[in-house]
Amino acid sequence: MKIFDIQNNTLNVVEITTVKLQSNEAITVLSLSNNPAREATSLELRAKGVKSPHQSIYRLKQKGAIIKSTRETFTDKFGNNHKGIARYKLTGWKQ
C-alpha cells in the first residue's frame, strides 16, 4: 500500500509493507525500534525473552530488515569480561 501526502507543493510517498513476524522476531524489532539509538546487544535481547538473537536477526534480514552488527567486549556486574558480544543496529527496511 502507498500513502500520498502533499504539503507545501511537495509530494511525499510512503510505501507500507506488511511483514509477518514470529514472536522472537517481533520482540527483536520492538527492542531495536523503541530506543533512540535503535540498537541492542544480544544479552539485552536475551533478557527481553529472545531465545536466539542471532537466529532472529538472520530471519529479520531475510524478511527485508537492514541490520548492522558489530562485536564488542562487555563487562558484567561482577567484573567479568565477555568478548564477542553482538551489538545490532536497525537501520531500515528494504523496499
Side-chain angles (χ1 to χ4, degrees), residues 3 5 17 21 27 34 38-39 41 46 56 61-62 70 72-74 86:
I3 297 174
D5 180 37
T17 303
L21 301 176
I27 293 168
N34 286 342
R38 297 176 66 99
E39 61 184 28
T41 66
R46 281 194 187 114
S56 292
K61 286 180 176 181
Q62 295 296 319
T70 57
E72 59 186 43
T73 300
F74 174 78

Side-chain angles (χ1 to χ4, degrees), residues 1-94:
M1 176 183 4
K2 291 185 181 181
I3 297 174
F4 300 93
D5 180 37
I6 298 176
Q7 293 180 1
N8 299 327
N9 294 330
T10 302
L11 172 65
N12 296 308
V13 180
V14 178
E15 186 167 335
I16 297 175
T17 303
T18 303
V19 178
K20 183 77 172 162
L21 301 176
Q22 296 176 8
S23 62
N24 280 342
E25 296 166 353
I27 293 168
T28 301
V29 170
L30 287 172
S31 297
L32 293 172
S33 299
N34 286 342
N35 70 58
R38 297 176 66 99
E39 61 184 28
T41 66
S42 56
L43 296 176
E44 292 166 342
L45 292 173
R46 281 194 187 114
K48 292 184 180 184
V50 178
K51 296 189 182 359
S52 177
H54 177 76
Q55 186 178 25
S56 292
I57 294 294
Y58 174 79
R59 287 194 309 254
L60 287 168
K61 286 180 176 181
Q62 295 296 319
K63 294 178 178 182
I66 303 168
I67 300 173
K68 308 281 185 196
S69 63
T70 57
R71 300 290 176 172
E72 59 186 43
T73 300
F74 174 78
T75 304
D76 64 20
K77 62 184 177 183
F78 303 108
N80 300 318
N81 289 330
H82 302 274
K83 296 181 180 178
I85 301 298
R87 177 172 296 279
Y88 301 107
K89 181 175 180 78
L90 177 65
T91 61
W93 291 85
K94 296 177 185 173

